[in-house]
């Protein structure tokens, strides 16, 4: 019998969109397991700086890297900077994402393109960057932060749900494609999580209704998504591949 091993020591983890929200919680959790952390941010410079300071004060290795993950040139630059500063990425968490609350007939093609480019194309671009190294090393972990809406759909959020459904299909496919190289690719499908994303989209009335639907009567904390992510990134999760782990408190019992 092998030893349990959920340490991430000696590995580099890139978390996209990690200046705040779920990404910041994942960055803290992977740093605490010993990984060197690349904190990607796009516009949240101050939040990313504050997070890096906090992690470094704990003695962890963490650096912030600006980059819009929907832009191919910026993603190439981002990976080049990470490579030359803290090393090749062994663990990738595609977390960056945006949402949109809009009826389909009111949604512009520009809004569709922007959302798809960040939520889906961004994950594709980051995977393309890490895969050659992971394949050479014959080891790697990729976790894509999807959503329960990518499984169930959601009225007013069809475009968002479609992007997350696409991310889930991408996960299941790439997981199979990359498995022979010792790489696992999994998705997490959170239910409602207490971050800006949810607070900026729900008014008091909607929040009350939502809380009434949740078995726990509360939103998930970002740390509760992060702990699932850390497990999927660990060596212990070697035989869990191409799966979707729902972190929704049983909201959508499947
Ligand atoms: P959030 O607080 O709104 O944070 C979104 C993050 O995405 C920010 O760090 C933001 O970076 C980053 N981002 C957006 N566009 C980017 C770009 N072009 N390039 C790089 N980073 C970009 O939301 P959250 O709740 O933490 O969401 C994290 C992930 O969880 C998303 O994929 C979201 O869809 C998913 N999720 C959230 C919930 C929820 O209820 N909160 C539920 C299910 C799934 P900057 O601030 O630096 O621009």
């Amino acid at each position: 019998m092998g030893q349990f091993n959920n340490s991430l020591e000696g590995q580099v983890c890139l978390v996209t969109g990690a200046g705040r929200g779920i990404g910041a919680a994942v960055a803290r959790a992977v740093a605490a397991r010993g990984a060197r952390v690349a904190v990607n941010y796009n516009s949240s410079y101050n939040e990313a700086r504050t997070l890096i300071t906090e992690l470094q004060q704990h003695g962890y290795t963490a650096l912030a890297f600006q980059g819009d993950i929907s832009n191919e040139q910026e993603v190439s630059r981002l990976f080049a900077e990470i490579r030359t500063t803290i090393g090749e990425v062994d663990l990738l968490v595609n977390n960056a994402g945006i949402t949109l609350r809009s009826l389909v007939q009111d949604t512009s093609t520009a809004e569709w393109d922007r959302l798809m480019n960040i939520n889906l194309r961004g994950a594709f671009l980051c995977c393309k960057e890490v895969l050659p190294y992971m394949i050479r090393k014959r080891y790697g972990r990729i976790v894509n932060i999807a959503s329960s809406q990518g499984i169930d759909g959601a009225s007013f959020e069809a475009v968002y749900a479609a992007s997350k459904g696409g991310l889930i299909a991408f996960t299941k496919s790439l997981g199979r494609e990359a498995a022979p190289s010792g790489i696992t690719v999994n998705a997490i499908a959170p239910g409602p999580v207490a971050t800006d994303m949810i607070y900026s989209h729900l008014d008091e009335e909607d929040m009350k209704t939502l809380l009434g639907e949740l078995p726990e009567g509360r939103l998930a904390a970002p740390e509760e998504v992060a702990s699932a992510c850390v497990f999927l990134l660990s060596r212990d999760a070697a035989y869990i591949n191409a799966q979707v782990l729902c972190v929704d408190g049983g909201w959508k019992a499947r």
Side-chain angles (χ1 to χ4, degrees), residues 19-32:
R20 58 197 176 90
I22 294 170
V26 172
R28 287 188 181 95
V30 295

Side-chain angles (χ1 to χ4, degrees), residues 16-23 40-45 47 67-70 94-99 114 118-119 145-148 160 164 167 188-198 200:
T16 66
R20 58 197 176 90
I22 294 170
N40 159 253
Y41 67 95
N42 186 32
S43 56
S44 295
Y45 170 79
E47 289 87 343
D68 173 354
I69 51 109
S70 67
N94 286 309
N95 163 78
I98 58 168
T99 188
R114 177 163 183 267
I118 294 172
N119 291 11
I145 307 297
S147 166
S148 57
Y160 176 75
K164 296 299 188 179
L167 189 59
I188 293 178
V193 185
T195 68
D196 295 343
M197 182 172 280
I198 202 137
S200 60

Side-chain angles (χ1 to χ4, degrees), residues 173-224:
S173 309
L174 181 59
R176 288 170 187 158
E177 202 171 294
S181 301
I183 300 164
T184 67
V185 187
N186 290 291
I188 293 178
V193 185
T195 68
D196 295 343
M197 182 172 280
I198 202 137
Y199 291 122
S200 60
H201 278 81
L202 295 185
D203 60 25
E204 212 173 302
E205 195 58 31
D206 288 342
M207 182 64 83
K208 219 173 127 192
T209 309
L210 176 63
L211 292 177
E213 287 174 13
L214 296 171
E216 282 75 8
R218 66 169 177 87
L219 305 175
E223 293 73 21
E224 291 172 311

Side-chain angles (χ1 to χ4, degrees), residues 36-127:
R36 304 198 295 284
V37 191
V39 168
N40 159 253
Y41 67 95
N42 186 32
S43 56
S44 295
Y45 170 79
N46 288 334
E47 289 87 343
R49 286 298 333 147
T50 305
L51 176 63
I52 295 300
T53 305
E54 174 198 318
L55 295 177
Q56 290 178 347
Q57 278 169 352
H58 280 90
Y60 305 144
T61 303
L63 287 175
F65 298 88
Q66 196 280 330
D68 173 354
I69 51 109
S70 67
N71 179 305
E72 191 168 12
Q73 281 72 40
E74 290 201 24
V75 171
S76 293
R77 176 189 46 78
L78 171 71
F79 275 85
E81 285 175 9
I82 296 170
R83 203 170 287 129
T84 54
T85 48
I86 55 173
E88 296 276 6
V89 172
D90 306 285
L91 315 168
L92 169 65
V93 182
N94 286 309
N95 163 78
I98 58 168
T99 188
L100 176 71
R101 210 168 153 73
S102 173
L103 291 167
V104 168
Q105 65 271 28
D106 297 337
T107 304
S108 67
T109 50
E111 286 173 317
W112 167 279
D113 288 346
R114 177 163 183 267
L115 192 140
M116 288 295 170
N117 284 344
I118 294 172
N119 291 11
L120 199 46
R121 188 177 198 258
F124 160 72
L125 291 175
C126 292
C127 288

